[in-house]
Amino acid sequence: MSELADAELLRSHVDGDPDAFGELFQRHRDRLWAVALRTIGDREEAADAVQDAMLSAHRAAARFRGDSAVTTWLHRIVVNACLDRIRRRQAHPTVPLPDGTSPSDPGRTVGGVAPAAPAP
C-alpha cells in the first residue's frame, strides 16, 4: 500500500479500504504535528488539534475535490483545527483561582482558613 499515491489512498479510503486512511496519516503525521505545534504553541493542544483534524479529514474524504494535493488539504484542515482551538480558548479564557494571598500584600491572607502548622 505504501506505493500508492496520496490521492489513490484517499480514494481507497472512500471506497471502503479500512487501512488506507491510516497509511495516509502515517505518511504525513510528523509534518502535520509540526504544523499544529507551530500554530498553537502548546503540545497538548496541538495533539488534540491533530486528532480533531484527522477525524474531520476522515469524515470529509468523500468531499475532497482534488483541486490541490492531499497534503495541502490535510495541512489546511490541521491549521483550521488549531485556529478553532485558539478561538475557543480566547472566547473562554481561564482565570487562576485565588490562592488566599493578596497580590498587594504577599504575607496577608484574604480569606479562607489559614493552613495549620505541621505536627512535630
Side-chain angles (χ1 to χ4, degrees), residues 10-112:
L10 199 57
R11 264 193 304 280
S12 293
H13 163 66
V14 170
D15 291 341
D17 183 341
D19 300 321
F21 195 83
E23 173 66 26
L24 189 64
F25 176 68
Q26 291 298 324
R27 282 184 190 180
H28 301 289
R29 71 177 172 189
D30 293 340
R31 199 167 328 131
L32 297 174
W33 163 252
V35 166
L37 191 55
R38 269 193 322 270
T39 304
I40 209 162
D42 177 86
R43 295 179 70 82
E44 288 183 28
E45 286 285 323
D48 289 344
V50 169
Q51 183 175 345
D52 291 347
M54 291 302 96
L55 286 171
S56 294
H58 189 273
R59 293 178 188 136
R63 294 191 305 268
F64 176 69
R65 295 185 312 250
D67 295 341
S68 63
V70 173
T71 56
T72 304
W73 178 69
L74 291 172
H75 179 278
R76 188 70 241 172
I77 293 172
V78 168
V79 169
N80 286 343
C82 290
L83 295 176
D84 287 345
R85 287 189 160 274
I86 290 168
R87 279 191 288 270
R88 266 187 256 137
R89 190 171 39 191
Q90 289 172 343
H92 304 289
T94 57
V95 183
L97 293 173
D99 62 357
T101 60
S102 169
S104 60
D105 185 7
R108 190 176 142 254
T109 60
V110 289

